Short mmCIF file of all heavy atoms in Angstrom, two decimals:
data_model
loop_
_atom_site.label_atom_id
_atom_site.label_comp_id
_atom_site.label_asym_id
_atom_site.label_seq_id
_atom_site.Cartn_x
_atom_site.Cartn_y
_atom_site.Cartn_z
N VAL A 39 112.99 115.79 89.76
CA VAL A 39 113.85 116.72 90.39
C VAL A 39 114.31 116.13 91.73
O VAL A 39 115.56 116.33 92.19
CB VAL A 39 113.19 118.03 90.57
CG1 VAL A 39 113.89 118.90 91.63
CG2 VAL A 39 113.04 118.74 89.30
N GLU A 296 86.96 111.42 85.50
CA GLU A 296 86.43 110.51 84.47
C GLU A 296 86.33 109.10 85.07
O GLU A 296 87.38 108.53 85.35
CB GLU A 296 87.30 110.53 83.24
CG GLU A 296 87.42 111.94 82.57
CD GLU A 296 88.28 111.89 81.35
OE1 GLU A 296 87.90 111.19 80.42
OE2 GLU A 296 89.41 112.45 81.46
N LEU A 310 71.08 95.91 91.79
CA LEU A 310 71.02 94.52 92.24
C LEU A 310 70.83 94.51 93.73
O LEU A 310 69.99 93.58 94.12
CB LEU A 310 72.36 93.84 91.81
CG LEU A 310 72.43 92.32 92.11
CD1 LEU A 310 71.28 91.55 91.35
CD2 LEU A 310 73.80 91.75 91.63
N GLY A 394 45.64 86.01 96.02
CA GLY A 394 45.06 85.25 97.14
C GLY A 394 46.08 84.96 98.33
O GLY A 394 45.81 84.12 99.17
#
Side-chain angles (χ1 to χ4, degrees):
V39 166
E296 298 179 68
L310 186 56

